[in-house]
Structure formats: C-alpha cells, structure tokens
Amino acid sequence: KAGVTQTPRYLIKTRGQQVTLSCSPISGHRSVSWYQQTPGQGLQFLFEYFSETQRNKGNFPGRFSGRQFSNSRSEMNVSTLELGDSALYLCASSLGDAGGDEQYFGPGTRLTVT
Amino acid sequence: AQTVTQSQPEMSVQEAETVTLSCTYDTSESDYYLFWYKQPPSRQMILVIRQEAYKQQNATENRFSVNFQKAAKSFSLKISDSQLGDAAMYFCASLLRYGGSQGNLIFGKGTKLSVKP
C-alpha cells in the first residue's frame, strides 16, 4: 500500500506571497491532519479534516487554512507569508473512524520564506 | 491543557546495548493514547509504538517496548539491542480521544538518540 505523499517537497517563497501544499493520504484513510515543525516551537497541530470537513483546529492564525476533497486528498494554504512561516509542514493520515487511530506521516514539505 | 515533556534533549547508546528514553505527560482526561515516533535525518516521521491508556499491559514492538505508568503519567521507551539505524529524533506524543473525533497529537520536544558503533 502506498504511503502518504506530499507535494511539493521543497518550496521557496517571498514574504507576502501565498502558498498551497498538497497531501494525498493512504488509500482508505479519511482523516488528514497537518502539523508545522520548527526548531523553536517543535511540532504543532494545525488542523484535521475528515470527510471533507474540518473536525479539529489548532491555535494558528486565519492565514492558515485547508480543505479536503472527496477523494480525501487535502490541501493547506498559507496566505500573506511571513518569515516565521518557514518550517517543515507534515501531513498525517489515519482511518479517522475512531479516536486514537495511528497517524501515518508523509515526508513533509520544506517551506522557506525569504 | 495537555502537555508532553521529554527531559532528555540528547542520549547516546552503544550498538547492541539498551537505552531508555523518558517522557512524562499531563492531562486531566481519562481516555487517551500515547505514541512514540521516530524521525531520522530524512525527516520522515515513523510510528514506533502505541499505547492505549485504558490498557495496563505495556505495549511492545520487537526491540521496542514501553513502561507505561498511568498514575505517574510516565511513558518511557526502551530500545533493546540498539542498532545504527535507530539513530534519530524520538518524539513522545499524546492524543485525546473525543468520541469518534481524532483529536490532535501533542508532541514533546524530542530526544536525539545517537548510536555508537
């Protein structure tokens, strides 16, 4: 079974621009969660989508948004990029039917904001 | 609020030896899960082991086992017969169960494990 895939793997953007990251979950998984990883703040939860609905949200500004499509693929968008948005963005998929499902992570998208 | 604390920023172990990574957590909830994830230099997060809070039996996965002390809110990871491929950042994480909701993983800051040949 194919794992979680994320595209692109690397991205360089300029402050003020916007960016869209994509995540394709493991086949059969309906939940996709997004995390931001930085050296200073560590791993922080952004949001979770299940069956095209945002089911859970972390403490990030409204510039961070996401969506999920009917095939469970998810996109994350960051508008008006700031230098502090430079991070590794990880998505994780799980079955999502019951709490506590194992979350399987993708390889991440490394975003650099200059 | 949930918190997860890993008090050892770095650890080192000799190949074939055993090492234990510490983790403590804090939650007022009774229904939760605990995980250990491994992140090698490739940055790919890999699930190592999972523990359900309502289960008293400690989880094991081959060379990896946990010591789950619910009353003390402690969840340590023991790696036996350490191998060079075990070198990585190890993250302890907790996950609350909200009925059918997935909740979200709360991670510790990580422990960097080095394995010496």
Side-chain angles (χ1 to χ4, degrees):
Chain A
K1 192 181 269 192
V4 179
T5 59
Q6 291 186 246
T7 57
R9 293 293 310 279
Y10 302 92
L11 208 49
I12 299 175
K13 289 288 188 179
T14 303
R15 193 169 47 183
Q17 288 185 314
Q18 75 165 15
V19 67
T20 299
L21 313 181
S22 180
C23 173
S24 292
I26 291 171
S27 177
H29 284 190
R30 293 193 292 163
S31 170
V32 173
S33 298
W34 289 89
Y35 295 85
Q36 181 195 65
Q37 186 176 22
T38 60
Q41 298 299 317
L43 283 148
Q44 294 183 286
F45 171 75
L46 281 154
F47 29 66
E48 182 224 354
Y49 285 87
F50 178 77
S51 293
E52 302 179 66
T53 301
Q54 188 181 87
R55 191 164 65 172
N56 211 342
K57 187 177 188 303
N59 189 26
F60 276 80
R63 301 186 296 106
F64 292 81
S65 63
R67 59 177 175 168
Q68 187 180 35
F69 302 94
S70 59
N71 61 358
S72 294
R73 188 178 70 85
S74 178
E75 287 182 347
M76 188 191 107
N77 185 275
V78 187
S79 62
T80 319
L81 284 165
E82 300 177 359
L83 295 177
D85 297 333
S86 294
L88 180 68
Y89 289 89
L90 295 165
C91 82
S93 79
S94 67
L95 290 170
D97 293 328
D101 293 334
E102 290 94 336
Q103 295 187 28
Y104 296 90
F105 283 80
T109 294
R110 169 75 66 184
L111 172 64
T112 301
V113 182
T114 61
Chain B
Q2 271 183 286
T3 60
V4 176
T5 302
Q6 294 178 250
S7 58
Q8 306 151 315
E10 295 188 29
M11 293 278 286
S12 181
V13 64
Q14 206 71 35
E15 196 175 6
E17 297 294 309
T18 296
V19 65
T20 298
L21 308 184
S22 301
C23 173
T24 58
Y25 62 94
D26 191 17
T27 179
S28 57
E29 302 291 332
S30 59
D31 195 0
Y32 56 90
Y33 302 81
L34 298 167
F35 303 85
W36 279 97
Y37 279 91
K38 168 186 176 181
Q39 189 177 42
S42 67
R43 308 299 272 175
Q44 174 82 51
M45 292 284 279
I46 302 165
L47 176 65
V48 175
I49 202 163
R50 171 179 180 262
Q51 175 79 42
E52 298 166 30
Y54 66 87
K55 287 187 176 179
Q56 291 185 334
Q57 186 174 7
N58 290 324
T60 62
E61 284 290 339
N62 301 313
R63 297 183 295 107
F64 299 88
S65 62
V66 298
N67 183 4
F68 175 45
Q69 301 289 328
K70 191 171 184 178
K73 295 183 178 176
S74 170
F75 183 62
S76 60
L77 174 69
K78 185 172 82 171
I79 306 174
S80 304
D81 186 25
S82 296
Q83 300 175 0
L84 294 177
D86 294 334
M89 280 291 285
Y90 285 82
F91 292 95
C92 177
S94 68
L95 178 67
L96 294 182
R97 178 176 178 171
Y98 299 111
S101 174
Q102 184 63 8
N104 72 85
L105 285 165
I106 304 296
F107 288 92
K109 292 294 187 183
T111 296
K112 183 177 181 180
L113 178 66
S114 302
V115 181
K116 298 178 180 178

